[in-house]
Amino acid sequence: MKTIAVIGGTGMNQWPGLVIESSEEVRTPYGLATGPVVRGHINGHPVLFLARHGEGHKIPPHKINYRANLWALKNAGAQQVLAIAAVGAIAEWFAPGEIALPRDLIDYTWGREHTYHDGVPGTELHHIEFTYPYTPSLRQTLFEAAGAADVVVSGAGTMAITQGPRLETPAEIQRLKLDGCDMVGMTGMPEAALAAELGLEYACIAVSVNWAAGIGTGGIHDEIRESIERGMLKVQGTLVRFLAAAG
């Protein structure tokens, strides 16, 4: 059985049902991870957990120490990383409260520490292949786990990752739509690329919590409050089945 780590985002800063065995703040060569690495189990199945935005959900997307987080999980023995992300929906098929498993991404972020291969003396330069930012076999297992949990996966699609912490303008959303994006979040990069650099299998469960700006008709924050709990229940059900299938 491979060691599984879950990175929780907005709406999953804690994992209901996780029986905690230990919780350790980890200082890495890249600084302190934004949340403690938690060891625990769900229904007897071991798992690692890290809250991406830190305890209390206080760290904005552009200030997250992604390098420290992925390094800390790798150092704790993680081989597979499941990233949970609350996103805005661009595609018509991705209604608030639903989940999707993105297959590709476009990175619109800037100024983030985005690689371990940054010219530090004594390190080698590696140009990782990034044809599959989300590991296909891991995505397939998640699809099967969702089915076993009677959770409908709305689709796959392409994730746009923007800088944040502000939400996007309607014109920006239209640009993302023209670029081929189906959903928009703020934390998928450099997280996915760093996982690839470390040789970790990586997949994302995206939770639609609102229609992106200019697409919906109501207030975005009201929609988020109404949708996030429904979506996270589907995530938790999928994760339980995933862990059970993993052994």
Side-chain angles (χ1 to χ4, degrees):
M1 173 182 174
K2 294 183 178 179
T3 302
I4 299 161
V6 172
I7 300 178
T10 300
M12 196 174 167
N13 208 55
Q14 296 178 327
W15 190 347
L18 177 65
V19 178
I20 298 175
E21 298 166 357
S22 66
S23 179
E24 179 186 4
E25 290 192 355
V26 180
R27 184 166 296 280
T28 78
Y30 308 95
L32 192 66
T34 54
V37 174
V38 177
R39 290 184 183 273
H41 62 267
I42 295 283
N43 297 336
H45 303 291
V47 69
L48 302 171
F49 179 75
L50 186 148
R52 187 187 287 116
H53 294 275
E55 294 183 305
H57 198 271
K58 296 177 180 178
I59 303 173
H62 66 296
K63 292 291 187 180
I64 292 169
N65 192 339
Y66 296 96
R67 293 197 298 180
N69 287 354
L70 273 298
W71 191 96
L73 291 174
K74 171 81 171 183
N75 191 59
Q79 296 165 289
Q80 296 180 324
V81 175
L82 306 179
I84 315 303
V87 303
I90 299 173
E92 293 180 358
W93 52 261
F94 197 20
E98 301 299 315
I99 69 169
L101 300 176
R103 70 165 65 90
D104 208 343
L105 63 81
I106 301 178
D107 185 8
Y108 299 92
T109 66
W110 50 270
R112 302 182 182 189
E113 297 287 355
H114 64 281
T115 181
Y116 296 106
H117 306 298
D118 54 1
V120 174
T123 62
E124 296 182 13
L125 175 62
H126 294 281
H127 299 283
I128 58 165
E129 181 178 341
F130 210 40
T131 304
Y132 301 104
Y134 306 107
T135 306
S137 58
L138 191 55
R139 289 180 65 251
Q140 181 59 38
T141 305
L142 283 170
F143 271 115
E144 293 168 1
D150 294 324
V151 171
V152 174
V153 177
S154 291
T158 297
M159 170 92 76
I161 298 101
T162 57
Q163 183 71 356
R166 69 166 177 85
L167 299 176
E168 299 76 27
T169 69
E172 288 170 333
I173 293 300
Q174 287 305 308
R175 175 199 172 189
L176 299 181
K177 188 174 183 178
L178 289 171
D179 284 351
C181 299
D182 300 291
M183 63 199 78
V184 56
M186 300 176 186
T187 58
M189 284 290 286
E191 195 173 89
L194 293 169
E197 287 189 356
L198 291 175
L200 295 166
E201 297 179 31
Y202 180 89
C204 173
I205 306 178
V207 182
S208 172
V209 297
N210 63 280
W211 291 113
I215 294 178
T217 57
I220 288 179
H221 286 292
D222 290 338
E223 199 165 46
I224 290 173
R225 283 190 291 269
E226 293 172 1
S227 304
I228 198 164
E229 185 175 352
R230 285 187 288 121
M232 289 303 166
L233 286 174
K234 295 175 182 179
V235 168
Q236 291 161 24
T238 300
L239 290 176
V240 167
R241 290 290 186 169
F242 180 90
L243 291 171

